[in-house]
Amino acid sequence: MRAFLLAAGLGTRLPSVTKSLPKCLAPLGGRPLLHWQMNFLERLGVEEVLINTHYKAEQVRGFFDANRYAVKVHLFHETELLGSAGTLAANKTFVRGESAYWILYADTVVGDDLSSMAAFHRESRSKLTLGLFQAPDPRSAGIVELGPGGRVLRFEEKPARPKSDLAAAGVYLAGSEFLDRLPARGDLGLDVFPKWSGECFGFPLERVLDIGTLESYERACREWSDFVRT
């Protein structure tokens, strides 16, 4: 199985960390965030992963020069950021022929066993399944309203008046048709997921740490020891 790990963001909401590091190398539990993501991919059964780079890309290359994992790594450098949807669109051939593949955000750590999400994706015959978690601040996340059977009725990025606290967790499972409807540039939350309302499904997750903002990163650092023990 293959996966995309989206890691090229500038990390502007983590200025104290990203002044000297790309966000994907932010320390967590004594190791860079990328280390935990690679271990997670291995547990998922992923054999190859494509990771996009941009900001301080040489540090990401250096990390993989110095560290080896069971998962084969392909680095895709973006001289100009394409957006999360644009990265996938530019690399369709990487997962061509795969019946399903993972799309993960590097600034989210998941502790759930995702075999149940994969089973749900297959049984529902979903073209796109969004992993969801209960967001502490729904106004800062992509919010989903779920209908019967887990169908996504509405997706709204950072709504001023959230109608739910179920947020996209940065863990998605998609099929080949999803690739064919992606823009050449753009963001999944802003430009893609809202258009899939009614066609995709959501799957609630229980153990998710978001590292997208300074506040959430500091909370993740405080909760890390309990997170890895459970």
Side-chain angles (χ1 to χ4, degrees):
M1 193 172 196
R2 295 190 172 195
F4 292 100
L5 182 62
L6 301 175
L10 299 175
T12 54
R13 295 184 295 172
L14 277 175
S16 60
V17 176
T18 56
K19 181 178 180 180
S20 58
L21 292 170
K23 184 166 58 172
C24 61
L25 293 183
L28 182 64
R31 301 296 294 268
L33 183 54
L34 261 182
H35 169 76
W36 304 115
Q37 297 291 13
M38 294 304 295
N39 286 347
F40 180 63
L41 287 166
E42 184 176 350
R43 294 196 303 273
L44 269 181
V46 171
E47 297 172 333
E48 297 188 43
V49 61
L50 185 143
I51 303 174
N52 64 333
T53 64
H54 175 72
Y55 178 65
K56 298 187 181 297
E58 70 284 354
Q59 293 190 32
V60 179
R61 288 194 299 272
F63 172 82
F64 285 111
D65 287 341
N67 297 275
R68 291 291 183 265
Y69 296 93
V71 181
K72 183 177 180 180
V73 175
H74 304 264
L75 295 180
F76 174 71
H77 182 66
E78 300 178 16
T79 54
E80 294 183 11
L81 285 173
L82 301 175
S84 50
T87 298
L88 304 183
N91 292 281
K92 292 180 182 180
T93 57
F94 177 67
V95 291
R96 188 66 72 189
E98 298 281 319
S99 59
Y101 51 89
W102 293 98
I103 303 167
L104 310 175
Y105 281 32
D107 61 359
T108 301
V109 179
V110 176
D112 296 62
D113 175 1
L114 295 187
S115 58
S116 53
M117 179 174 166
F120 173 82
H121 179 80
R122 289 192 303 270
E123 292 163 7
S124 63
R125 297 184 179 181
S126 177
K127 300 168 186 173
L128 172 66
T129 302
L130 311 180
L132 307 174
F133 75 112
Q134 289 185 299
D137 180 11
R139 291 173 298 179
S140 66
I143 296 300
V144 167
E145 294 176 54
L146 283 185
R151 188 176 295 275
V152 173
L153 301 180
R154 180 180 172 86
F155 183 98
E156 188 174 6
E157 185 71 16
K158 298 180 177 63
R161 297 176 181 175
K163 296 182 179 179
S164 160
D165 66 352
L166 284 177
V171 178
Y172 315 121
L173 196 53
S176 58
E177 187 173 328
F178 179 68
L179 293 170
D180 296 330
R181 293 169 57 180
L182 290 172
R185 289 178 180 265
D187 180 77
L188 289 173
L190 289 172
D191 306 307
V192 177
F193 291 161
K195 297 176 182 178
W196 278 80
S197 297
E199 295 186 70
C200 63
F201 291 81
F203 187 86
L205 303 173
E206 295 182 1
R207 302 180 61 230
V208 176
L209 290 178
D210 171 34
I211 318 230
T213 67
L214 183 58
E215 180 183 9
S216 62
Y217 173 62
E218 291 174 344
R219 182 169 58 247
C221 290
R222 292 193 303 269
E223 297 176 358
W224 181 249
S225 58
D226 290 333
F227 186 82
V228 295
R229 282 201 301 265
T230 55

